Amino acid sequence: MNSLLVTGGAGFIGTNFVRFWLKRHPSSRITVLDLLTYAGNRANLDGVDAELVVGDIRDEALVGELLASRSIDTLVHFAAESHVDRSILGPDAFIETNVLGTHALLKAARKYWLATPGTPHRFHHVSTDEVYGTLSATDPAFSETTPYAPNSPYSASKAASDHLVRAYHHTYGLNVTTSNCSNNYGPFHFPEKLIPLFIINALHGRALPIYGDGMQVRDWLHVEDHCLGISRVLEAGRLGETYNIGGGAELPNLQVIDTLCAAMDSAFAQDPTLAARFPDAAAAKGMPTASLKSFVADRPGHDRRYAIDCSKASSELGYVPARDFASGFASTLHWYLDNEGWWRGILDGSYRAWVEANYASRDAAS
Ligand code: NAD
Ligand code: DAU
């Protein structure tokens, strides 16, 4: 694994993975292929020794050229449309990127790596636990043999991509692995997802919109633990296999939100400069952050519970998440407080412009 192509490496998990990998393998060469959609951010890779190629995973010729010119031996595929709410508003982009984009990568990989039999290579596909559908409170956690039952356009598109990856292994002999992980959180998380959205809303004194009754359960995984899991799969995962990666932190949304509110209050109590920096925050006005909680209409088709059984990754690969939710969340909150420029750049700049240019027309067409 000397030369890696990382798709979506300027997004949340991809950025963390590139940083994680280079810290442990400083002699590896990394090429990032990223279209820099609204979710991609060039600044995420500032100071990182990786080449950024701005381009589309659906561009099979470009991917083929990169595989050859950079002598790529390992492709780690993160690039995707990743937000469930957006997939409900405008599914087309999800089919294009997640299904057709993954297929373009597979075609290019097959052409390049399988042209000369015996060429060492590995194609790792990053997927989600959402492909398994939803669990009741008493169902056992998702294992690698749980039947697929995706419920949103996002999870259906990821399920389709998982099946294509599997088919390229069984039909053509491409060396593939797939990991299905639970909800990530941590640095560089795009502020449309629950945790970063609520941190930033709380800092502005804006409502915290809780879908439905707030009792949906997610299994929270610190992004560095996810990167650890992917590294273990790359190093020791059996070809053609899938591995579930979880954080061992199953929590209802309300508990996550209450943890967030309490941590925000205590951050403001401990650091008086925060009230001056964020004068609109409830905590700056002597009110509890929890007073911003606001129950809103539920997400259509909202999955009730996800839970990951990662015993296969533990027993085969020695994967064990290092962080519990309390410590992982505390460090995440401090990252957002210390990196205000990062999220302000997104809220004020490329995010707004890109959404206006792309989603307005796509949503109208859907
Ligand atoms: P993200 O939305 O933060 O980043 C996606 C990246 O892909 C962005 O940098 C974007 O510019 C890039 N991209 C989008 N379309 C592209 C295209 N056509 N060509 C090239 N680049 C393109 O997503 P994330 O949260 O970092 O998720 C990464 C992967 O992990 C996705 O495949 C997602 O399905 C999966 N996943 C995410 C989570 C999670 O909790 N965030 C959990 C399970 C699985
Ligand atoms: O399970 C893995 C998945 O986790 C990934 O495949 C997806 O890419 C990732 O976006 C995430 O999906 P979720 O839909 O679970 O994440 P999100 O942060 O959007 O929502 C988490 C929970 O919080 C979910 O039950 C919906 C709820 N929610 C979310 C938002 C944005 C709210 O109650 N209010 C909100 O404003």
Side-chain angles (χ1 to χ4, degrees):
M1 278 174 283
N2 290 323
S3 185
L4 282 72
L5 180 63
V6 178
T7 72
F12 163 45
I13 306 174
T15 291
N16 279 283
F17 175 79
V18 169
R19 290 166 178 267
F20 180 97
W21 185 267
L22 284 174
K23 224 181 265 173
R24 286 151 186 85
H25 306 272
S27 62
S28 285
R29 273 174 296 131
I30 294 194
T31 306
V32 168
L33 174 61
D34 198 298
L35 190 56
L36 298 183
T37 67
Y38 79 93
N41 189 343
R42 193 185 284 278
N44 288 3
L45 296 171
D46 280 353
V48 175
D49 186 16
E51 177 193 12
L52 171 63
V53 176
V54 179
D56 196 325
I57 57 167
R58 290 171 297 171
D59 186 343
E60 188 187 332
L62 170 64
V63 176
E65 195 274 318
L66 292 176
L67 291 173
S69 60
R70 272 70 170 175
S71 304
I72 301 292
D73 53 39
T74 306
L75 192 158
V76 192
H77 176 32
F78 294 94
E81 289 288 337
S82 69
H83 192 38
V84 174
D85 289 333
R86 284 180 190 281
S87 83
I88 296 167
L89 290 171
D92 298 60
F94 288 73
I95 306 306
E96 286 169 24
T97 296
N98 301 356
V99 185
L100 300 180
T102 301
H103 191 225
L105 290 175
L106 288 165
K107 284 193 286 179
R110 177 186 169 209
K111 226 179 257 171
Y112 173 62
W113 279 326
L114 300 188
T116 314
T119 305
H121 68 275
R122 186 181 283 253
F123 185 115
H124 181 70
H125 175 56
V126 179
S127 191
T128 170
D129 59 359
E130 299 201 17
V131 298
Y132 300 121
T134 187
L135 295 169
S136 75
T138 53
D139 283 335
F142 300 132
S143 78
E144 289 79 0
T145 55
T146 301
Y148 274 33
N151 288 320
S152 72
Y154 162 69
S155 52
S157 69
K158 292 297 290 186
S161 66
D162 294 7
H163 293 321
L164 285 167
V165 171
R166 176 190 162 88
Y168 267 66
H169 174 70
H170 284 270
T171 306
Y172 303 116
L174 196 68
N175 292 346
V176 308
T177 45
T178 294
S179 51
N180 296 81
C181 73
S182 56
N183 284 61
N184 285 222
Y185 67 99
F188 301 103
H189 203 181
F190 194 81
E192 65 186 349
K193 309 281 169 64
L194 179 77
I195 288 180
L197 175 73
F198 278 33
I199 289 174
I200 291 168
N201 277 11
L203 290 173
H204 289 92
R206 292 192 203 120
L208 309 178
I210 302 167
Y211 297 162
D213 64 2
M215 289 308 290
Q216 303 81 10
V217 173
R218 298 293 183 264
D219 175 353
W220 292 94
L221 169 66
H222 191 276
V223 66
E224 283 202 17
D225 281 331
H226 184 198
C227 294
L228 171 70
I230 293 172
S231 299
R232 295 301 302 132
V233 177
L234 288 173
E235 287 156 356
R238 285 181 293 134
L239 298 176
E241 291 293 317
T242 67
Y243 294 89
N244 283 356
I245 302 176
E250 246 195 89
L251 295 169
N253 291 343
L254 277 180
Q255 198 173 325
V256 171
I257 294 160
D258 286 339
T259 302
L260 186 154
C261 292
M264 189 68 80
D265 291 346
S266 79
F268 273 70
Q270 281 163 23
D271 178 357
T273 66
L274 289 177
R277 284 172 58 199
F278 304 106
D280 295 327
K285 298 176 177 164
M287 307 267 291
T289 302
S291 62
L292 300 172
K293 289 196 306 190
S294 162
F295 289 88
V296 300
D298 208 351
R299 171 188 277 174
H302 199 170
D303 286 335
R304 193 68 181 167
R305 172 175 169 242
Y306 304 143
I308 283 262
D309 170 356
C310 54
S311 52
K312 180 176 172 184
S314 303
S315 60
E316 282 191 23
L317 311 175
Y319 165 73
V320 181
R323 286 166 194 75
D324 59 22
F325 184 73
S327 65
F329 179 77
S331 65
T332 301
L333 174 59
H334 282 282
W335 189 88
Y336 278 85
L337 294 174
D338 293 343
N339 290 277
E340 184 182 349
W342 178 83
W343 52 263
R344 283 221 185 275
I346 290 170
L347 296 182
D348 299 342
S350 58
Y351 174 43
R352 192 166 294 167
W354 198 91
V355 169
E356 277 164 16
N358 288 270
Y359 276 89
S361 54
R362 284 185 190 183
D363 294 348
S366 300

